[in-house]
Each structure stands twice: as structure tokens, then as C-alpha cells.
Amino acid sequence: MQSETTDPQRMERLLREAVRQIAGDGDLGRYIAWSQATIPAELGVESELLDGEAERLATMLGVAIWNATPRADNDWRPLTLSTPQSDEPCFCGSGLSYGDCCEPLGPLPELPPELIWGLLIEDLPEEAMQEALRRQAVPDTLLAKVAERWLEHDRPGRAASLLEPLFRGEIGDLDGRFEPALDILCDALDALDHWKKKQAFLLRITDEGSRELKAAAWQRFTMMFMDEGELDYADEAFEQALRHGPDNPSTAVLEITLLAARHDDVRARSRAQFWRHRLRRTGTVDAGLLEFLEQAMVDPQEALVSSHAAAMDPLLLELCHWIRSLSALPLAPYQIEPLDDPLASGAGLQLSLFPDEPFPSECAYPLSGAIGALLPSTDLRAIEREWHRVFPASKPYSTQLSALDDGALWDSDDWMRFLSAQPSAANSLDVLDDLATALYEHPESSLPWVAHTLLGPLYQRALAIIDTSVAATGIASLPWSAERNRPALRLLFRAYLHEAEAGREEAAAAVVERLLALNPQDNHGARAELMNHYLRARSDRQALELARRFPNDLLADLAYGEVLALYRLGQQERAARALSSAVDRLPRIPRFLLRKRIKRPALDDAGFTPGGEDQAWLYREAMRDVWEAEPGLLSWMKKRLTA
């Protein structure tokens, strides 16, 4: 009966309407007449059959659907129509005997109950669904669809109670048809904040479950570790998922996701090509997955954004479209207003990073060229005034990155409509700074592919505006103390973090170098990461030059980084003097570097205490491997300290 024009969507639409007809008045005669009038045209086969054949085939399929459809008036069991004897009237209504009419077409097809119940669940009212469940009429493999419906209506407890009994018995007997139940149960436990219970459940599946469910459980563990930033554990879990489900299409998406989280786009493209070839050969993969893999072969991060679009915050997606349009807008450089008094502006001072420093120290880095403050055009200042009327979030305090008050900015689209109406806002560093803060606050922006699509282009434009403005005016420094410079400098620091989190160390270091060139006093403390980068790259002379720019620094990375650089350069006497000076300022660092094992002190997310054990621990975690890898360095330091 199937022709080239018969596709799965049309068949599903037909089945759904047939089930509704049966569940309506339930009159067999009217239903048979409906089948004969509707089914051939709906399937597109009417013109391909001889007179009478279309009605006969429609009747056979219609009766098969009738026999598989459960009825509320029959305790949720089908009202099965018996097949006539050969000499009895045919049920198609032709007036002929069954033997002379429909019997030669063969036996009635048998439709699986799961097929009909899958359609029925979506339409049943809640009371009818509860009755069907009480009578245990719903197939176990479809309980996940019922639970999903409840979960969508914020009833996770009811969803979990429905699905948990499925997994109380011999779970090794549950095949891949129960994978949706596993996923929905995990989602329900997440909604209930029962994370320990979910973890125990998944561990039991990995021990006792069937091969298909083990693969699904390891996939969940992979995503859990990715969400927690534990990518090494995620790799191990993924290997188990791949071992148990080597041909599972979900494994393909998961691998691209994991590689994207590691920003390994080159390998992600290669694996997308591999999976596309492999799954096309199976002939069972849907077109949507193939389209995703084809897009991932070009840009894995963009492919993940597109694939998650349906589940993403619509306002975030709208902002994504706006940011994508930035490349078509010409840059408008700022003017820079010269500042006459470097000391009054703070340009010659290294401002305090810590509250217990009573006075800022002099920055040894010599200022070259003029200093100034960024000055937007008159038109841009007018746009910024309007922007601050509609954008509800405040600016971050000082060098922090979170807004003091986010003003529930993702609950309103007023600011997004403003951006759409004012494309020139894309030339405002003030506006770009606010958008970066907004994205920093949005939970979905922590996903690497979202950061790639939204934050990357945002920072590229900001840096281009800064570079163009500086180049056009000859101004060398934009001190943080001039408040108009803060959006630009904050954007530079955010751009550094963006590159560092993506694992692009050279690019991250280059951004920090630009930041320090514009703001030599380094209010953000980015010099610490730059020093560690230089030392890991064995750029010891650059490390030494950086240390000299910040004498008597209270950052361990600078104080002890100078010691390491001098030692490597063979200047041990100078290294000894630098070590003595560093110990005077930060005496706990050596003990944390010298000991192979040491207890971790209490840490505070808000920062660390200069000279405290928390600072010593953090420096050990960041750089002990570099110290340990340098032949004789730790022994030399121990001797110098005990001499």
C-alpha cells in the first residue's frame, strides 16, 4: 500500500485521526465509511489503485487500527472485530462475501499496542489517563511518555513515583525501549533535588542493566561531569558509553558535545565526519541528526547552538541573532580625551588589590606616551542614556564581573527591543560591557558553544573598537581610575578569561599583554596569570621583565615567579636575594611548595588573604609542577632557607 508519497509523518497523522474517530462516537459503520473516504487520499495511493481496491485496502487498515485501539468503555481494551467467514458478508460494506471481496488481500495486519498508545497518551484527559493507569492498560514501555507529560506540568514527584517501580525488579531484562524511562526518571529526580538518589540509581544501572541501559546511564554521567566542569571524568564516562552503545546516535551527539566543551573543534569536526559516515550506512538515523553532523563538520560550536535552540531561552536566542549581525556593522572609533595629570588620574599608581594594603605602591613600569579617557561621540552618548533607561542591571562593583543588581534582566525584553531598533548601540563599549555582564549572569552562557557564539563575537568587536580608537589618537594608556575607561578594560579582562577558558593560552596571554599595556597598574591582577604563562612557556626573560614592573608585589605568582625566572637564567645569587624578599612578604609559600603532601586549608570563593595559607595553597596548585620539574630548584630553595 505504501507509495513514494507515503511518509512517516502522514502515516502518524492518519493514525492519530483514526484513533480520535474511534474514541469519538465509536460507531463501527461510520468509522468504516470514514476510513474508506479518508485513508487512500491521506496516504496518496488513491490514483494508483483500480476501482474498489482503495476502499478494500482502506477498510483492512482501518479495521486493524480499530482492533488495536483501547476503548474507555471497554476497560481500556480494544473492541476487537472478528474476521468474517469466507461466505459471510464482507465488513467493508460492498455487499459481497468476504471470500469474494477483502479476504484475497490477506490477513488483517496486527498493529502493536505501543503504536496506538503512543498517540493516545497525548490526547487523553488526566482523569482518563489515571483510570488507564489504574487498570494497568498502558504498556510499560510507554509509561515514560505519561511521566514526561507530568514533568512538563511541574509534577516531578508523580513522574518519579510512576517510573521507579519499573526499575525495582530484574533491570537486566529491560531493553533499549526503557531508555526514555531512565532519562525522564533522572530528570524528575533532578527536579526534586534528589541527586544522591539519582546517582545511586545510575550506578545500579551501570552494574546490572542491559547493554542499552548501561550506555544511557554512562551518557548521563558524562553530561553530569561536563556540567560540573570535570572533563577528565567526563572522558572516562564517555568511553564507557561508547563501549556499551557504539552505534547509538546519542553517543555521536555526546562526543561532539564533549569535544566542544574541551574546545577541540578540529577533532570534533573529524568525529562528526566519522559519525555521519557510520550512521548513514546503518540507514536508521533521522535526517535531523545527519543535518547536525554535517553542520558540526564545519562549525561544531554553531551546530550545538542550533541543535539546542528549541530548549534555549528565547531572549538568549534573540540576542544571539543580534550579535551575529555585528560583523556587518562598520566600526565607529572613540575619541580619547587626554588626561593632563598622571598622578591625579592614578596612571602612575598600582592600585591595591587587597583591602589591608593601606597605600598603593608605585608602579615601576615607565609610562610612555599620553594617557587619556575614552570619549564616545555625541550620538553614542545619547544612545547610552536611552540604553540605561531600559537596561535594568547595574554595573559590577569595581573589578568584579557580576552586577550588583541584575534587575531580573532576563525576565523582560525591553532592552532587546532597544538593541534591535538601535543597531548603532553595537559601537558602544558601555553597551557591550553590559551585555557581557548579562551573559555572565545567564546560566546557559556557561555552555562552551553558547560562549563561542555569543561572547566571542562580542569581545572581538569590543577589542576592535579599542584598538581602532587607540591607533587613531596615539594615546598609550587608558587608566582604570578614569571611570569612562572601565567598560573597555573590563571587556579586555573578560576577553582574556574567554580565551583562557577555551584553552587558547597564547591568545589569552596576548589579551593580558594588551590589558597591561593600556592599564599598567593592572587592577584586575591579570599579571599573575601572565607570569605563570611565561614560566610555563619558559619565556624567562619576559617573566623577569614582568616581575620588575611590579616590585614588592603581594601576588605570589610575581614574587616567586621572579625567583624561578632568575634561577633558570643561571643567576642564582640574584635569585637568592629575590627569594629572601619574597619570603619576607609571603613566608608561607615555600612550605607549600617543598612538601609533597600538605593539608588543604579552608578556601573562600571571595578571594584569599595575602600571606595566608589559602594563598600558599592556591599558588602550589597552580605552579608546583613547574617548580618540581626544574632540576635542583626545590633542593636549592630548601638549602637557602635553612642556611
Side-chain angles (χ1 to χ4, degrees):
M1 185 189 311
Q2 185 163 332
S3 74
E4 294 181 359
T5 57
T6 304
D7 56 53
Q9 290 78 16
R10 295 176 71 176
M11 179 61 78
E12 180 181 335
R13 186 168 63 245
L14 172 64
L15 286 171
R16 189 182 303 279
E17 184 56 34
V19 169
R20 287 172 179 163
Q21 290 288 328
I22 297 169
D25 62 19
D27 181 84
L28 178 60
R30 279 194 290 272
Y31 170 72
I32 293 293
W34 174 88
S35 299
Q36 293 173 346
T38 305
I39 291 178
E42 185 65 29
L43 297 184
V45 299
E46 191 171 25
S47 61
E48 303 173 13
L49 300 173
L50 300 175
D51 290 344
E53 285 185 349
E55 288 78 6
R56 293 189 184 100
L57 289 171
T59 301
M60 296 288 281
L61 179 56
V63 171
I65 299 171
W66 175 280
N67 285 348
T69 301
R71 297 279 296 269
D73 55 359
N74 193 41
D75 294 335
W76 292 103
R77 294 172 300 182
L79 279 171
T80 305
L81 181 64
S82 300
T83 303
Q85 297 295 320
S86 295
D87 57 353
E88 291 180 338
C90 187
F91 44 34
C92 74
S94 64
L96 300 174
S97 66
Y98 181 60
D100 292 332
C101 190
C102 289
E103 186 177 27
L105 296 176
L108 285 171
E110 292 187 10
L111 302 181
E114 290 85 356
L115 179 64
I116 304 302
W117 269 108
L119 303 171
L120 199 58
I121 286 170
E122 298 177 15
D123 290 339
L124 279 183
E126 184 62 24
E127 185 177 348
M129 177 57 67
Q130 293 283 4
E131 177 63 23
L133 291 170
R134 279 194 292 271
R135 295 187 177 277
Q136 298 183 328
V138 181
D140 286 348
T141 54
L142 291 179
L143 292 178
K145 287 182 72 72
V146 181
E148 184 177 27
R149 190 168 93 170
W150 288 342
L151 197 57
E152 290 172 352
H153 288 84
D154 198 23
R155 295 178 176 177
R158 179 178 288 185
S161 297
L162 177 65
L163 297 180
E164 284 177 322
L166 290 175
F167 299 97
R168 286 183 184 146
E170 197 63 44
I171 59 175
D173 296 335
L174 304 179
D175 58 24
R177 294 175 299 165
F178 290 87
E179 184 178 336
L182 181 148
D183 285 329
I184 297 300
L185 177 54
C186 287
D187 290 343
L189 294 175
D190 281 338
L192 294 166
D193 201 24
H194 292 171
W195 63 271
K196 288 185 178 179
K197 189 174 186 180
K198 182 184 79 168
Q199 188 176 50
F201 165 65
L202 289 173
L203 286 172
R204 181 172 170 241
I205 295 293
T206 62
D207 285 340
E208 305 172 20
S210 62
R211 187 179 181 87
E212 298 98 320
L213 291 192
K214 284 182 178 180
W218 283 116
Q219 287 175 9
R220 296 290 301 206
F221 272 126
T222 304
M223 293 302 298
M224 287 163 58
F225 288 132
M226 273 197 285
D227 290 343
E228 294 165 4
E230 299 285 354
L231 296 185
D232 289 339
Y233 288 133
D235 284 338
E236 294 176 14
F238 173 75
E239 289 300 322
Q240 293 294 329
L242 183 61
R243 184 165 72 86
H244 290 96
D247 296 317
N248 189 328
S250 298
T251 307
V253 177
L254 188 61
E255 182 171 20
I256 304 304
T257 304
L258 182 54
L259 290 169
R262 287 192 171 279
H263 298 274
D264 191 351
D265 288 3
V266 173
R267 181 160 170 75
R269 292 187 191 98
S270 173
R271 294 299 292 173
Q273 185 175 19
F274 163 82
W275 279 110
R276 176 178 173 273
H277 176 70
R278 181 169 186 164
L279 294 176
R280 284 186 69 178
R281 284 168 53 191
T282 67
T284 58
V285 64
D286 65 51
L289 177 55
L290 288 177
E291 183 180 354
F292 164 77
L293 293 173
E294 288 168 359
Q295 190 174 5
M297 289 164 57
V298 178
D299 188 339
Q301 310 281 356
E302 186 69 32
L304 285 163
V305 171
S306 299
S307 67
H308 288 74
M312 283 174 62
D313 182 344
L315 193 52
L316 194 65
L317 279 177
E318 196 171 348
L319 180 58
C320 180
H321 296 319
W322 184 82
I323 289 175
R324 282 174 176 162
S325 70
L326 296 186
S327 59
L329 298 172
L331 293 174
Y334 277 53
Q335 298 174 356
I336 299 183
E337 181 182 22
L339 297 175
D340 295 329
D341 186 351
L343 292 178
S345 71
L349 299 178
Q350 176 194 338
L351 299 191
S352 171
L353 290 172
F354 310 109
D356 59 344
E357 286 186 87
F359 301 103
S361 60
E362 289 190 9
C363 175
Y365 183 66
L367 294 173
S368 60
I371 64 173
L374 290 163
L375 181 65
S377 66
T378 302
D379 291 343
L380 203 52
R381 288 200 296 273
I383 288 174
E384 290 173 349
R385 285 193 296 272
E386 290 299 317
W387 166 254
H388 287 296
R389 290 192 183 100
V390 298
F391 187 73
S394 61
K395 289 287 185 186
Y397 173 71
S398 185
T399 57
Q400 295 177 6
L401 299 180
S402 296
L404 284 172
D405 177 13
D406 68 11
L409 64 94
W410 292 103
D411 295 337
S412 170
D413 67 348
D414 290 349
W415 56 273
M416 189 64 246
R417 287 190 282 110
F418 175 88
L419 291 177
S420 299
Q422 288 282 6
S424 297
N427 282 318
S428 167
L429 293 170
D430 192 15
V431 171
L432 297 180
D433 177 44
D434 283 340
L435 292 177
T437 300
L439 288 168
Y440 186 82
E441 303 287 348
H442 198 291
E444 289 181 31
S445 68
S446 63
L447 298 171
W449 45 94
V450 175
H452 166 84
T453 304
L454 280 78
L455 291 173
L458 195 74
Y459 297 143
Q460 287 174 13
R461 185 168 190 86
L463 268 60
I465 292 172
I466 296 168
D467 287 347
T468 304
S469 302
V470 170
T473 60
I475 293 291
S477 300
L478 301 172
W480 176 264
S481 53
E483 193 166 345
R484 281 180 286 163
N485 293 334
R486 293 185 179 182
L489 297 174
R490 188 160 38 237
L491 282 162
L492 271 167
F493 184 69
R494 288 189 191 275
Y496 148 68
L497 292 177
H498 177 69
E499 298 293 346
E501 288 167 3
R504 296 185 286 267
E505 295 180 5
E506 292 296 332
V511 176
V512 176
E513 289 169 343
R514 293 163 78 182
L515 179 59
L516 293 184
L518 289 173
N519 183 39
Q521 56 267 54
D522 183 31
N523 305 80
H524 290 89
R527 59 189 181 274
E529 295 301 326
L530 185 59
M531 170 63 81
N532 294 342
H533 168 76
Y534 285 154
L535 293 172
R536 287 189 176 278
R538 305 194 71 86
S539 301
D540 298 314
R541 295 195 181 279
Q542 287 178 280
L544 190 57
E545 171 62 23
L546 180 62
R548 288 170 178 166
R549 290 166 58 179
F550 299 93
N552 303 316
D553 205 326
L554 287 180
L555 290 177
D557 313 78
L558 272 289
Y560 284 85
E562 181 180 12
V563 177
L564 176 52
L566 287 168
Y567 182 89
R568 279 178 171 174
L569 291 169
Q571 302 179 33
Q572 291 195 7
E573 287 304 316
R574 292 182 61 192
R577 290 195 296 271
L579 176 62
S580 177
S581 174
V583 171
D584 286 343
R585 284 172 278 156
L586 305 169
R588 290 184 170 88
I589 303 294
R591 181 166 64 93
F592 277 76
L593 286 176
L594 290 169
R595 295 183 62 174
K596 288 188 176 181
R597 294 182 182 84
I598 194 166
K599 183 180 178 181
R600 190 182 89 163
L603 300 178
D604 187 345
D605 291 339
F608 59 83
T609 303
E613 291 195 346
D614 53 350
Q615 182 189 29
W617 170 270
L618 292 171
Y619 184 66
R620 170 193 171 92
E621 288 290 287
M623 289 297 289
R624 188 180 188 275
D625 61 319
V626 179
W627 281 74
E628 189 177 31
E630 191 62 32
L633 174 59
L634 291 178
S635 297
W636 170 85
M637 181 167 69
K638 186 175 182 180
K639 288 178 183 178
R640 298 298 306 189
L641 294 175
T642 56

